[in-house]
Amino acid sequence: MIPTLLVRPPSGLPLRLQPGGQLRIGRKVGNDIVLDSTQVSREHAVLVWAEEAERASLMDLGSANGVTLDGVKVQGSRVLGLVGTIQIGIMKITYEQEDGGSDIAASFNLPDDSESFVLERGEQFSGTFDDADDLADTLRGLERAKRSGTLRVTGVEKEGVIQFAQGLVMSSSWSSLSGLAALEKILKIPEGRYVMVSRLVPSDEFLNLKISEFLARGF
């Protein structure tokens, strides 16, 4: 199956981008995506998918007002995630990769200049837990819902981070610890609060772990 990026402009029909193609964005008629706003340059940015690349990239064409990708200003060019938002002024363009051309592991091994990426558009949520069992139930819920994002768990003294992709634990950190050792520490926090956001950070770590199985084994 040919990888395809589905791009949704603020108005009009969705566009599809495949390897070897590009979509030009600007105010001038003739661009693939025409944005009628004075905040948009005549030739503002371009989405490019190189023939052999796993992902498309967004490039700023030297615009006056710049362009952001998932809230981060693009300097030169940036690799897209699986889903996300491109914004120029008040104009928003959403996108999502329709196929499995890049697997989850590839998402966690993006180029070094990729600061973060998004796998879903799920809403941020937060809550508190009174004991370790409450926290474990929350993690099982994320697995069942196949959520993707970063869960920050804060106890009395320290904060732990667990990254999920489609319900699987991809990485975890706690102080100087990482991996399973960090996950064990987080799961032992007696009480605290948590916040889940959709943004993920590339990592060499790839646990690919079901939290329900990890909890069932005991630690």
Side-chain angles (χ1 to χ4, degrees), residues 3-11 13-28 30-35 40 42-50 56-61 67 80 86 88 93-96 98:
T4 302
L5 188 75
L6 183 64
V7 181
R8 295 186 176 91
S11 61
L13 297 174
L15 302 173
R16 284 177 167 77
L17 177 65
Q18 295 182 334
Q22 65 175 26
L23 294 173
R24 300 186 72 85
I25 305 168
R27 193 177 73 251
K28 183 178 70 174
N31 284 295
D32 300 293
I33 299 176
V34 178
L35 301 178
V40 180
R42 289 169 58 80
E43 296 181 349
H44 199 108
V46 61
L47 284 166
V48 180
W49 199 334
S57 296
L58 175 65
M59 181 183 300
D60 189 332
L61 297 176
V67 55
L80 273 62
I86 297 163
I88 302 173
I93 301 167
T94 61
Y95 67 86
E96 61 185 273
E98 291 187 308

Side-chain angles (χ1 to χ4, degrees), residues 72 78 104-119 148-152 161-165 170-173 197-206:
V72 179
R78 284 194 64 202
I104 297 172
S107 298
F108 275 75
N109 192 27
L110 289 170
D112 292 339
D113 60 355
S114 296
E115 298 176 2
S116 61
F117 64 101
V118 177
L119 289 177
S148 298
T150 298
L151 184 75
R152 297 188 177 277
V161 176
I162 305 174
Q163 295 203 97
F164 285 85
M170 294 293 106
S171 68
S172 61
S173 62
V197 298
S198 59
R199 190 171 303 282
L200 293 148
V201 177
S203 171
D204 293 332
E205 187 179 22
F206 185 55

Side-chain angles (χ1 to χ4, degrees), residues 162-183:
I162 305 174
Q163 295 203 97
F164 285 85
Q166 297 178 13
L168 300 177
V169 175
M170 294 293 106
S171 68
S172 61
S173 62
W174 170 268
S175 187
S176 61
L177 299 177
S178 63
L180 296 181
L183 187 58

Side-chain angles (χ1 to χ4, degrees), residues 181-193:
L183 187 58
E184 289 182 5
K185 287 287 188 181
I186 295 169
L187 288 168
K188 291 178 180 178
I189 298 175
E191 61 179 322
R193 66 186 307 274

